[in-house]
Amino acid sequence: MKIRFYFMMGALIAVLFASCKKDNYDAPEADFTGRIVYKGEPISVQYGQVNFELWQSGFGNYAALNVNVSQDGTYSAKLFNGNYKLVFSPNQGPFLWKKNAAGKQDTIAVNINGNKTMDIEVMPYYMIRGATLTAAAGKVNAFCKLEKIITNADAKDIENVSLYINKTQFVDGSNNIAAQQISGAAIADLNNLNMSVTIPGITPTQNYVFARIGVKIAGVDDLIFTPVSKISF
C-alpha cells in the first residue's frame, strides 16, 4: 500500500512539475516605442481610441497584437524578438494609411531584436497650426489655424472644431467639464478660428485646468487634437 501511495505521489509531482515547466515561458523583454507623426510632428489623438496592429507568424495562432496610441501620439509595447508586420486597420485615426497595389491597407516590416524606437509616418486629413490657449476673466480662450493636408479625391470636410477643458490631463469629447464647438459650416476662414469657454466651479478647488482643441473630420470617427495645455487662472 505504501509503495502504491508513494508511486501516486511521485506521479502527481511529476505532472505538476511538467505543468509548471510548460507555463514557465519567458516574458517579452523588448521595448518597442515611438510616435505617430506627420513630417516628424506627433499626431495627438483621444486616449484609448486609436491603435495599430502587429502581426507575427510562426507561433501557432496568427493573431494581431493591438498597440494603443496615447493622447500625445506616443506608443509603447513589450514584445518578443522577431519579425512583425505593422498595419493600421481601415478608419483608425484621423489620418490615411498607405495602401498597397491591391488597394488594401499596406504593412510595414518591423524587426525586433532588443529595444527599438520608431516613428510611424501617417497622412492626416488636417493639421492644427499656431494654436494658443490662454485664460482670462474666468474663461479659457483659444485660437488656431487649420491646414488641409489631403486635397485629392480622398479629401474630407470638417464636421466641427471644439475647445475642451478638464480638471485632469485627459481631455477630449468624453472627458471634459466644459466645451465649445464650432460647426464646419460656420467656419468662414481656416486661418482664423476663435473659441472661448467659461471655467465652471471645480471641487475640490484648483486654480488650473487642462485644455486642448479637437477637430472632427466628416466621416472619420477619431479627432485630431492639439497637445494638452495646462492653463492657470
Side-chain angles (χ1 to χ4, degrees), residues 9-90:
M9 288 296 295
L12 179 60
I13 292 171
V15 169
L16 291 173
F17 178 78
S19 177
C20 291
K21 187 175 182 180
K22 181 179 179 181
D23 294 336
N24 193 27
Y25 291 113
D26 291 336
E29 294 183 347
D31 289 314
F32 181 45
T33 58
R35 306 173 301 168
I36 309 302
V37 300
Y38 171 65
K39 295 184 176 179
E41 184 176 347
I43 302 294
S44 296
V45 295
Q46 181 174 338
Y47 178 80
Q49 294 300 304
V50 178
N51 63 75
F52 60 86
E53 298 173 354
L54 288 172
W55 295 79
Q56 185 183 30
S57 60
F59 291 91
N61 294 328
Y62 189 53
L65 169 67
N66 290 318
V67 180
N68 187 67
V69 179
S70 297
Q71 62 179 7
D72 62 356
T74 61
Y75 68 87
S76 178
K78 282 281 190 183
L79 301 176
F80 292 105
N81 289 336
N83 295 314
Y84 295 81
K85 296 290 187 182
L86 184 156
V87 65
F88 278 91
S89 296

Side-chain angles (χ1 to χ4, degrees), residues 135-151:
K139 295 184 177 182
V140 172
N141 304 304
F143 166 83
C144 72
K145 303 176 182 180
L146 299 181
E147 180 186 0
K148 191 171 188 176
I149 304 299
I150 298 176
T151 58

Side-chain angles (χ1 to χ4, degrees), residues 77-135:
K78 282 281 190 183
L79 301 176
F80 292 105
N81 289 336
N83 295 314
Y84 295 81
K85 296 290 187 182
L86 184 156
V87 65
F88 278 91
S89 296
N91 304 317
Q92 270 289 326
F95 45 75
L96 280 181
W97 183 247
K98 59 185 179 179
K99 291 182 168 57
N100 58 26
K104 296 182 179 181
Q105 299 291 96
D106 203 357
T107 60
I108 294 177
V110 179
N111 175 259
I112 301 296
N113 186 15
N115 295 342
K116 184 182 185 71
T117 299
M118 185 179 85
D119 285 348
I120 303 171
E121 187 76 17
V122 297
M123 181 67 71
Y125 291 96
Y126 291 84
M127 289 292 286
I128 307 171
R129 303 299 192 190
T132 60
L133 296 100
T134 58

Side-chain angles (χ1 to χ4, degrees), residues 166-179:
N166 201 22
K167 296 186 294 184
T168 71
Q169 61 183 329
F170 294 99
V171 192
D172 51 57
S174 301
N175 301 286
N176 67 81
I177 55 173

